[in-house]
Amino acid sequence: MRIVSVVGARPQFVKLAPIHKAAIAAGVEHVIVHTGQHYDPMLSDVFFEDLKIGAPDVHLGVGSGSHGVQTGAMLAALDGVFDEHRPDWVLVYGDTNSTVAAALSAVKMHIPVAHLEAGLRSFNRRMPEEHNRVMTDHAADLLLAPTQVAVNHLAQEGLAERTVLVGDVMTDVLLQIRSEVAGSASILTDDLRLEPDGFYVATIHRAENTDDPMRLAEITAGLAALDKPVVLLAHPRVVAKAAMHGIDLTQGSLIAHPPLKYRDLIAAVLLSSGVVTDSGGLQKEAFLLRVPCTTVRTETEWVETVQLGWNVLAQTASELGQAVSRPRPPETDQTPYGDGAAASRVIAALAERAA
Ligand code: UD1
């Protein structure tokens, strides 16, 4: 069996790591295509090195652009790649422009497509990720759902027959890295001389939080007013937008810091008092590490984190302050994101259905 994985953005490189490992273990030929959506070394190369994935087999070098320009460039380039490799499966990950481009290209070439992280829904039709994930689920032949909630969404959309519950592959990586970094120092506590449990880790990068200057100013003011130092691991998008609108990312409690490698991020979160984020992955990682999370969004796809009390949604600066200072939630032994063996289930599901 030959699988072509198409990835392009930081969280997809994390999910690629356990899939690549499971593919090799199963003797499957695995071709990795990087669209080039993320190209900064700290958003891309370090993940391939740190998570021991090796270099991508194909790099499209598409780079940034408006949604149409970026997605269109990927579509145009992927036709030739799929034609050359003629895989049994094209595997697409999550909800990015790279995902929808690869799904569309493959389906038009009559190559079976599997969608990893299928069935997540925010029901917010203004999010580019929501367009991408809905269209990809309806185009794909096999829907690999991470949670029971995702399975239910797919059933409601008439997609139950194509759906398999495999668990969440990000949990596979997280559990492994957690055991490797547990008890170690963090680059943040070392570099910034912060005390364990004496700081928060923050990330903000989504279009709806960065592109409107009023919104970005509200969020930075909320972070700056928190009671402990807040290390903002600044995605290039937030750095660019803050500079454009004259918003200071180092004010009050706020300290801007470049993004971290995956294992450095996990070590930092483990030592922190809490996480404030608009990232999907980090909400779940905080839950799995049992670090309280505050999510700067109006909704979340990872509803289990909220239901279990480990994640609270906040919009305004004052909501943010209240959410971050809430008491620690009750402990839980629930495992809504699976057992850390999702990747081998993905490879088995693909092998069973390969023509
Ligand atoms: C993308 C995904 C988002 C995911 C995120 C993970 C889409 C629609 N969005 O958002 O779902 O959560 O990745 O980080 O696919 N930029 C750089 N260097 C880079 C990459 C981006 O400077 O390596 C800057 C550029 O100004 C670019 C902007 O960030 O225009 C946005 O990048 P883009 O890849 O379009 O979306 P993300 O915000 O990263």
Side-chain angles (χ1 to χ4, degrees):
M1 178 170 66
R2 179 183 300 148
I3 302 171
V4 169
S5 277
V6 180
V7 289
R10 175 171 55 178
Q12 298 174 325
F13 310 142
V14 177
K15 295 168 207 161
L16 175 67
I19 294 288
H20 189 54
K21 202 167 143 192
I24 291 172
V28 168
E29 188 185 344
H30 189 213
V31 178
I32 299 172
V33 179
H34 187 325
T35 62
Q37 178 170 350
H38 283 179
Y39 44 86
D40 282 358
M42 285 307 290
L43 295 190
S44 175
D45 305 17
V46 293
F47 288 82
F48 284 85
E49 289 154 19
D50 195 31
L51 298 173
K52 302 189 173 57
I53 303 168
D57 299 287
V58 180
H59 200 299
L60 304 180
V62 162
S64 299
S66 66
H67 291 293
V69 166
Q70 188 181 54
T71 310
M74 292 170 188
L75 254 178
L78 283 166
D79 282 359
V81 174
F82 294 159
D83 205 27
E84 184 190 336
H85 291 280
R86 283 279 151 192
D88 298 289
W89 285 102
V90 166
L91 183 59
V92 296
Y93 299 61
D95 55 19
T96 69
N97 290 343
S98 300
T99 303
V100 76
L104 191 52
S105 173
V107 85
K108 285 190 179 290
M109 294 180 74
H110 309 295
I111 299 171
V113 189
H115 185 203
L116 188 67
E117 221 177 64
L120 293 186
R121 295 290 180 267
S122 67
F123 301 102
N124 176 352
R125 297 276 292 174
R126 291 193 59 79
M127 285 175 63
E129 293 83 2
E130 186 75 356
H131 315 148
N132 290 343
R133 59 170 83 98
V134 170
M135 288 195 283
T136 302
D137 281 339
H138 284 261
D141 301 279
L142 179 61
L143 302 173
L144 301 161
T147 62
Q148 186 56 47
V149 171
V151 170
N152 299 347
H153 291 150
L154 293 167
Q156 274 157 12
E157 293 177 28
L159 300 172
E161 279 178 16
R162 293 186 232 164
T163 301
V164 182
L165 176 61
V166 287
D168 173 38
V169 296
M170 213 174 223
T171 303
D172 298 16
V173 202
L174 192 275
L175 296 183
Q176 186 204 323
I177 302 286
R178 180 184 65 181
S179 61
E180 288 171 21
V181 303
S184 62
S186 150
I187 186 170
L188 293 188
T189 46
D190 288 354
D191 283 10
L192 303 173
R193 297 173 193 226
L194 297 168
E195 292 296 322
D197 200 26
F199 65 99
Y200 302 110
V201 171
T203 77
I204 296 291
H205 75 274
R206 283 190 191 270
E208 61 268 29
N209 282 335
T210 54
D211 294 8
D212 171 7
M214 300 279 284
R215 183 86 205 105
L216 184 56
E218 172 87 15
I219 295 169
T220 48
L223 295 173
L226 294 181
D227 58 335
K228 293 178 186 175
V230 182
V231 185
L232 176 67
L233 301 172
H235 183 292
R237 180 179 197 127
V238 76
V239 173
K241 298 290 177 183
M244 189 187 297
H245 302 303
I247 295 170
D248 186 1
L249 293 181
T250 301
Q251 50 170 303
S253 300
L254 199 48
I255 305 167
H257 191 281
L260 295 177
K261 293 180 190 177
Y262 191 69
R263 75 186 55 236
D264 290 342
L265 172 74
I266 300 308
V269 170
L270 267 173
L271 289 177
S272 75
S273 308
V275 164
V276 183
T277 190
D278 62 3
S279 147
L282 193 48
Q283 294 170 46
K284 212 177 2 150
E285 284 152 352
F287 167 73
L288 293 167
L289 297 170
R290 297 298 189 267
V291 172
C293 181
T294 300
T295 294
V296 189
R297 284 182 52 197
T298 45
E299 68 284 308
T300 178
E301 299 78 13
W302 304 107
V303 289
E304 303 83 359
T305 59
V306 175
Q307 285 157 0
L308 293 169
W310 286 82
N311 191 9
V312 167
L313 303 176
Q315 276 290 93
T316 62
S318 81
E319 284 170 6
L320 220 155
Q322 281 170 26
V324 171
S325 57
R326 71 191 187 270
R328 192 176 162 84
E331 293 303 326
T332 174
D333 55 7
Q334 301 269 316
T335 55
Y337 304 118
D339 56 2
S344 53
R345 260 180 238 120
V346 168
I347 299 298
L350 296 176
E352 269 168 34
R353 292 166 182 79

